[in-house]
Amino acid sequence: MEWPGDFPEDHAFVELLVPGLSSELDFEQLLKDTEEKLNLNANSIERQLKELQAKMGDSRERPPSPSECLQWFNTKAHNSVRPGPTGHEELMDFFRALKQYLRSEEVGREEVTLQLLLHLSAQCGICFPCTPSSSSPSTLAAASIHLVHQVRDDASIEIQEAWDDVRLQLRRHLLDRLSSRCPDPPGPRHISIPERVHCLQQLFFLYPESEALTHYQGLRSQAVLVLLLSALSPSPGGETGFHRLAEGFRHVVPALTQALTEELHVLSRLAEPHTILGFLNVAYLNTVARELASLMERERETALRDNTTLSSKIKKYSARSRATVAPMEHPVKNRSFSLTFHQLRALTQLACTLLRFEGIVKELVTNMTVIDCTGETPSVKGILKKNREDLDATADGKKSTAEPLLHMPEAHVLEFDWRSAFRGLVPHMAHCVKVVLEDVCTRSLQQEEALHSSGHTSVSLSRTTGHTAIAAGSTRLREDSFYTYSERETPKMIDKFCGAIMTELDALLPLAAACRDSSLLEVRSSFVEACSRAAFAMLGRLQERALQVPSSAPLRNLPALLATCMYAHQRLEHYHARLKDSNTAAKVPLTLLPIQKYQDTVEALRDQLTAYCIRVCSTCILQDAESHHWADPKPFYEGERCSFSVQMWFYFLCGLRSDLWAVVPAETAKEVLGQVLSETLQLLVQRYARARPSYKRHMQIRCDITALLLYVEQLMWSVCKSPEALVRSSPSTAIAIIAGGSDWLYQIHSLCDQLLTVLVIVTAPLSSLYRIFMNNPAKESTPHQPDVVHWLNAINPDLFSEQAIRDGLMGQAASACQLRLLNSDPGCNPRLLLRMLLYKDCHLPRILLENSHVCQESCSGVSAESCKAGDDLKVALFNLFSCLNNVPKALTQILQPYLERSHIWEHLYTLADTTQAVPVVISCVRSIVTKSSNSLLVHLVSMVVAWQTTEEPSGASFKQNVPESVLAKIPKEWNYTPLEAQGKETATKTVISVIIQALSFIFTNLPLAVASVPLPIRFLFQVAEKHLSQHARQLRLMGLLLWALLGCLIQGLEDSDTLEQISGLALDRGVKEPLYLLAECLQATMGIQQKGVPKPTVQKVLQALEEKRPKWTNMQLQKARKLCSDSVFERGKESGVAAAELTEQKIGLMLLEVCHKAGGSDYLRQIYHIIQGNEELLMFELSGSTNSPNNPPHATNFDLGCESHADTDGFNPLHQFDHIGKKKLHQSAAVDWAWDWPRLLPAYQGMSQVTFKTLLANRWEMQDDAELEDGEKCMVEELQKAYFVCCCSRGPQDPPKADETPAEQAHGGTQQSDKRAAQ
């Protein structure tokens, strides 16, 4: 084992990790820095070897070669150096003196002895025998490590025994320190990681690594056992039995995790990875498994006694009671008692806790070693077959060394066989799982049947728990999230009886997942069988209830049944994924799970829902004889309203949307609504294309189609997923439809265009129609096919202008469109939300901040709740945009108005000052910068602690405590010279050396520390620097970010609490003072004026560093500052926040980046709810001064209220009857709608002649009995001659029959034009 000496001043740590690199320049800088560090370290090693050669060459015949020098550090190269003689009596006298000194009562004698032996080894080249305790003299020579001098090969047994006595006493002392039982100070104490490492290094000096680790392993095993017993002692809550075990292990797992983490930190510095695995297997995991098995066996015997007695007394009670014992179905072999429901729950919680702990251990080992323990293949093996005696080691190390205990096994996998503790309960658990699930299923079905029989035909709903937070005591595992669907794919509400059954299945899933060993598969099989039976029972009941719609159950039951079936299907897929194992596929009947049957039922229920809605519209709602009596010479309701059927059609679709939005997943809800809208709209198109109204009724067609287009435009916000889908019809969708596919959005656009065509041709003023089609006829050779979604432009030309429909929505219109789409969606749409937040230089979030109290000059009169809510919004926006490295300017664009109005730029200059109160945004910035500075700080503390460990033992206290009687017995041949007390000058040189080393480390890794700061934060500092011109002199050299970063580093170096918190060590004065001095040196480097008289040591450090590396500090500062500017501009030039550049792929990547950050999804949801609550304000700001309400809102409302508007708005029949969205629709508005005929009619000059003639024939003027004025008669005659008279015959051509062909021709003509457009 090589001992850590003084690191050379010009070495560099390569292992400093960077949390995230944001740009190509960051990666290039990382590679360059790593290459420089490797070259630096290579030169340092070469220089040290040369110095070692020069020192060792003085006592040898020839100087050793570099390869021979490297062999000195190889513990397996024993015979490379010729040994030197040492007298037998001299050795014995020395060992006797050591033994006599160790038997004295002097305080600190063991430490003094250890330091003396280490100095003899380091100064004189003496290596004392590091052999196993039981080795013979013949093995002594083979196991010894030869340096310059060596104990003679023919050492007698007497010498070996004397040496064994010395190191045994030292071993006891070290083991006492490692076991936290140090006599000075007395009592138990927590031993730090560096102290543990130091003790183990000293133990490795005395004994072979395997034996030293074996003794240490025994100590840790005892400590784990004590920890388990203390946690499993009788609890204050009075839990007993398996419940006490479950609670005890739940509380002990955090302590075990902390102990394992510390152990990995210790062992990773001393041993190889496979040796570490073997140590953890025996000391920790095997101890836990053994104790668990013992406790489980004890509790099983108690349950056998209690449950057998209890079950004989309560046979008369129902087996379905949760408090009773699960009854026996059939006599089962080796089953002597039955588990209760509560006992099964406790066992499930225990298994879940252990599964969680096993995953944590695998992750810890994988992260801290080079061994991957997190794969899907099980890497846990059983070790309980070993004899317990082989693993027991006493704290004092007195166990016989001849036993197998001394062998430190290497391991390639974790061996945590906690599952074997459940083997004795397998038949009982399997039986209880089956009975409990059958009991819950039967009871839930009976309760549902009783409720239904009592007259409650509506489905009772319960909210799903798929996306709720996992409580500490929950039986849900983190692995469950790997298989769950996204929030938009998960139903919101399901049938209550199915929710109760699925909750019980979810609760028992961890127990089934844990039972993957062959001896435990009976439990998994029992769960699968019971789950299959419950799933079939639920499916049967769902199908039964679906058949009752509409005869004896309302329509709103169908969406609830569809959502329930979808949720059960998703959960069954999750169970299959969690329980699937190639090794146990033949033994666990996963094919029993009716996954495909549920999939088929989902499709059937969806088809039933859409078909029923379409049938209701076609056979009931749209059948209104009075409204559709087109030949009636009387106007419909005096021409003051649209048809009742049209109004009720929209009313019905709004109710359907409310039912779907409340329970069905978002995407499915939009598809169902879109399909019903498209199919029913087609019926309306056919109806109005065939209508031949009278003079009094032709205005009703215009009013009906106007209302229809207004209604559809309102529903399109709920059906569309993006602004592009709202305003454009893609040619690819036309090709898909021609090929037999379906696209509801494209069909809706097409049908609305057809409705508008009917409105224009059938109801346009005759004079306007005549002027366009007779005076300016379109040429047949150049038919005009409009490329725009014309109906939207016609119904709302302000929002959907021709340019917007052709090129896409831009500017404020696009923002308003995105906002309305977002608020019309069934739930939070993360893609659309992120896109909307980034659009137009983050215009919308800036509106939220600018119209809130946070941007006001004074916050007087603002409640504390509003202030806190405003701070929460700023934190959510900051945490969301600070991780978006693809759009580095977004964060600054959002915060800049707030920072300017509130005069907060100055706080970034004094970011390191923690004494003054700062705004919450500054606190967020400080946390990120401090995180980067702490990555340097933790290494600096380790560096100084290591220096203290190596330097202080050679101080004056040690040399004064070495007794003269021991120094006099050191053999003369060793040429040992006692070290004199270090003077003040020598100590100062040593401190200067470590400070130079620390400064070199800081400036070497400063570019990497800057690279770990996210790009948005770097850009924020760069903009802030332009606002701080008063500090230009101080910031000229390093810039604002480096100023803040080094300031936070200095603050951390001066704060002892911070140092101890990030290092986890209790630091003494010997560590703190060099760190304080380092802080002063950094302040001098930054040009900060020192308080009082500058220390000479600071000037010496800076002068020595400058002499060693001239201008190197300034070069490193410039290199780091380059990452604060160029990398931001580089990424900003490549990825702006313009709408054209925000492709779906970029939005998806940024969304992944957000969701992978802790709390990212919660921040998105929080911002979404605030936008929902301020829709009126945002719409007012986006629309400008036009169409503004009488009392516009002036301040942002931060009250989140309920989780979504879907929960609060609901469907209000009285309100929805005469409203379109939130606006009231007056029937007169549809009647008096001002159509721009001169703009509309020319667009139809190139339409299909068949369609035009069919619709023209439907006009009231073309009917034989029409009463026309003279001018109208002339225009009608000319139109008939132009379009209805065949050139090869004298008589007029008969128009198509109004009740047979026009609708088909209109529809077919449009389809032909669509096909031509697609081709």
Side-chain angles (χ1 to χ4, degrees), residues 126-187:
I126 306 297
C127 189
F128 297 93
C130 184
T131 56
S133 304
S134 58
S135 61
S136 62
S138 60
T139 60
L140 174 64
S144 299
I145 300 176
H146 299 52
L147 292 179
V148 180
H149 300 284
Q150 180 210 23
V151 179
R152 292 174 57 90
D153 292 342
D154 57 351
S156 63
I157 297 177
E158 184 180 11
I159 295 178
Q160 179 63 40
E161 290 178 349
W163 169 242
D164 284 345
D165 292 339
V166 171
R167 63 177 182 170
L168 177 61
Q169 186 74 14
L170 298 175
R171 184 184 76 188
R172 288 174 177 171
H173 166 72
L174 292 174
L175 292 178
D176 283 340
R177 287 184 60 188
L178 288 170
S179 63
S180 304
R181 296 195 310 269
C182 188
D184 186 25

Side-chain angles (χ1 to χ4, degrees), residues 394-640:
T394 57
D396 58 359
K398 293 183 179 179
K399 182 151 180 88
S400 173
T401 55
E403 295 182 5
L405 175 67
L406 290 182
H407 176 62
M408 188 64 208
E410 292 187 352
H412 296 272
V413 294
L414 287 173
E415 298 175 351
F416 190 19
D417 192 21
W418 57 269
R419 292 173 176 82
S420 61
F422 289 80
R423 289 172 187 164
L425 294 169
V426 166
H428 317 292
M429 291 190 298
H431 171 69
C432 193
V433 164
K434 186 182 301 183
V435 171
V436 166
L437 291 180
E438 289 178 356
D439 174 48
V440 171
C441 182
T442 304
R443 185 174 59 257
S444 299
L445 290 173
Q446 288 179 349
Q447 291 175 353
E448 193 273 344
E449 179 64 32
L451 188 64
H452 183 267
S453 301
S454 65
H456 292 79
T457 56
S458 297
V459 172
S460 299
L461 299 176
S462 63
R463 185 171 296 275
T464 57
T465 58
H467 297 276
T468 56
I470 300 177
S474 173
T475 57
R476 292 184 60 203
L477 294 172
R478 186 177 58 175
E479 288 82 355
D480 291 343
S481 61
F482 300 155
Y483 306 101
T484 54
Y485 288 77
S486 66
E487 188 173 356
R488 292 183 60 80
E489 298 172 322
T490 305
K492 305 172 186 176
M493 306 277 283
I494 60 173
D495 203 326
K496 190 174 183 179
F497 85 94
C498 287
I501 297 174
M502 300 308 298
T503 300
E504 198 61 44
L505 288 171
D506 287 342
L508 293 177
L509 176 64
L511 183 63
C515 296
R516 68 186 182 195
D517 291 353
S518 57
S519 58
L520 305 177
L521 289 181
E522 184 182 348
V523 178
R524 181 176 289 195
S525 299
S526 179
F527 174 83
V528 172
E529 293 171 6
C531 177
S532 176
R533 285 195 290 270
F536 274 110
M538 288 191 299
L539 184 61
R541 183 61 57 87
L542 292 173
Q543 292 173 338
E544 179 184 348
R545 294 291 177 254
L547 292 176
Q548 296 174 354
V549 179
S551 60
S552 60
L555 170 62
R556 64 174 175 268
N557 281 10
L558 278 181
L561 295 174
L562 174 62
T564 304
C565 201
M566 293 181 69
Y567 183 76
H569 175 255
Q570 292 173 0
R571 298 310 297 162
L572 289 176
E573 284 189 331
H574 169 61
Y575 298 160
H576 187 275
R578 287 284 282 123
L579 301 178
K580 181 176 62 178
D581 190 345
S582 58
N583 299 326
T584 62
K587 301 178 182 179
V588 180
L590 289 177
T591 54
L592 294 177
L593 297 176
I595 297 177
Q596 187 59 44
K597 288 186 178 296
Y598 268 89
Q599 178 66 36
D600 297 339
T601 306
V602 168
E603 297 298 330
L605 287 175
R606 178 172 169 175
D607 292 341
Q608 179 185 355
L609 175 60
T610 54
Y612 175 74
C613 292
I614 295 169
R615 188 168 61 253
V616 166
C617 290
S618 61
T619 62
C620 181
I621 295 176
L622 297 179
Q623 296 302 320
D624 183 7
E626 183 181 4
S627 299
H628 304 141
H629 187 193
W630 304 117
D632 192 345
K634 297 180 180 180
F636 180 73
Y637 274 78
E638 303 298 330
E640 294 179 354

